[in-house]
Amino acid sequence: MLRLFLVLSAILAITACMPIERLFAPKADLMSDRWSRVAGTPGTAPDYGAFDAFLATYHADTPNGMTRVRYANVTEADEAALLTFLAQMQRVDPATLDRDQQLAFWINLYNAQTIRVILDHYPVDSIRDIGDGLLGLGPWSYADLRVNGTALSLNDIEHGIVRPVFDDPRIHYALNCAAAGCPNLAAKAWRASTLEDDLNAAEHAYIHDPRGITIADDGAVTVSKIFGWFREDFGGTEASVLAYLMDRANPDLRAALEARGQIDRYAYDWSLNDAPATVAQVAE
């Protein structure tokens, strides 16, 4: 379904026809009740140290506030370490973790797997270039993961588990799809102990970044297509999206949104979040 959605999005890009794009956007649909089971008390969370080390080495800041990944610099040894980390993650039984531990687990698994997919096909201009055939447009439906014995794709994690189980719009600022228009990839692995603060910070950062909202000189409002594709996660209507954004905006941005009273355009940059070797790694 996501591939069909992306094909249609590409065809309609020149018209920016969000209502039609929304018809083909993946819906939040729990794939199995097993993924909604959570432990009543905290379990033993996976060791995210290897992912921390990878991000510390290849996560990069840019002057405009966007974080990128220095894919070209990843060594064979560090790529192998990432694969080992992913193998360890796939042996975890999420049902042994409490709610916050589970969400941190799924976010880290999704983000690490996305990096792996890019490295497997690098160099590419966009993650949408990875796929079968001329219009494959993306690897999201590949069931390349096997968590606790069950085959899962990136689509399954995001739309079949994370969105329906956790029902929190802030997850869109945590799951990173390797696109320049996406919210920033976190500099460290996500953890239950800081989950709420980190989700709030990621939400604030994206909403106050031009990737999230842009106000033109004439007051016209452009927002990320994330708020259109997944409108149901932000209240279900364009009015509810605008109300959500105003509620979380700083005073100046809120005033601009209130003055306009509408969303004029949706935009998204699918180019790869690649960083040239000259971009410095993020400070620890």
Side-chain angles (χ1 to χ4, degrees), residues 106-278:
W106 290 119
I107 293 170
N108 289 326
L109 180 62
Y110 185 100
N111 290 347
Q113 174 67 4
T114 299
I115 293 171
R116 174 204 175 175
V117 168
I118 297 299
L119 291 175
D120 283 348
H121 297 86
Y122 192 82
V124 291
D125 294 326
S126 169
I127 191 172
R128 294 194 303 176
D129 295 339
I130 301 169
D132 297 325
L134 180 62
L135 294 177
L137 290 178
W140 292 282
S141 63
Y142 294 170
D144 292 339
L145 296 169
R146 184 169 290 275
V147 176
N148 198 28
T150 300
L152 295 175
S153 67
L154 291 171
N155 251 1
D156 292 332
I157 293 173
E158 181 174 6
H159 310 296
I161 300 174
V162 173
R163 289 176 63 205
V165 171
F166 299 95
D167 191 24
D168 187 333
R170 296 175 300 171
I171 63 94
H172 293 291
Y173 312 115
L175 299 173
N176 187 274
C177 66
C182 189
N184 284 337
L185 175 68
K188 295 181 180 180
W190 290 74
R191 287 176 169 80
S193 59
T194 58
L195 187 65
E196 278 299 305
D197 287 345
D198 290 341
L199 286 171
N200 286 335
E203 176 183 59
H204 181 86
Y206 193 65
I207 288 174
H208 294 89
D209 186 278
R211 287 168 290 169
I213 304 175
T214 300
I215 308 296
D217 291 341
D218 64 358
V221 174
T222 299
V223 304
S224 169
K225 285 188 176 183
I226 289 173
F227 301 117
W229 294 330
F230 308 118
R231 183 180 295 168
E232 285 71 22
D233 297 355
F234 300 93
T237 67
E238 190 166 280
S240 69
V241 171
L242 191 59
Y244 158 83
L245 295 173
M246 288 189 293
D247 181 62
R248 287 152 176 83
N250 63 28
D252 288 343
L253 180 57
R254 183 184 306 116
L257 294 172
E258 289 175 345
R260 188 65 173 180
Q262 66 182 45
I263 295 171
D264 297 283
R265 182 173 176 266
Y266 294 84
Y268 196 81
D269 182 356
W270 275 109
S271 63
L272 187 67
N273 64 338
D274 199 3
T278 55

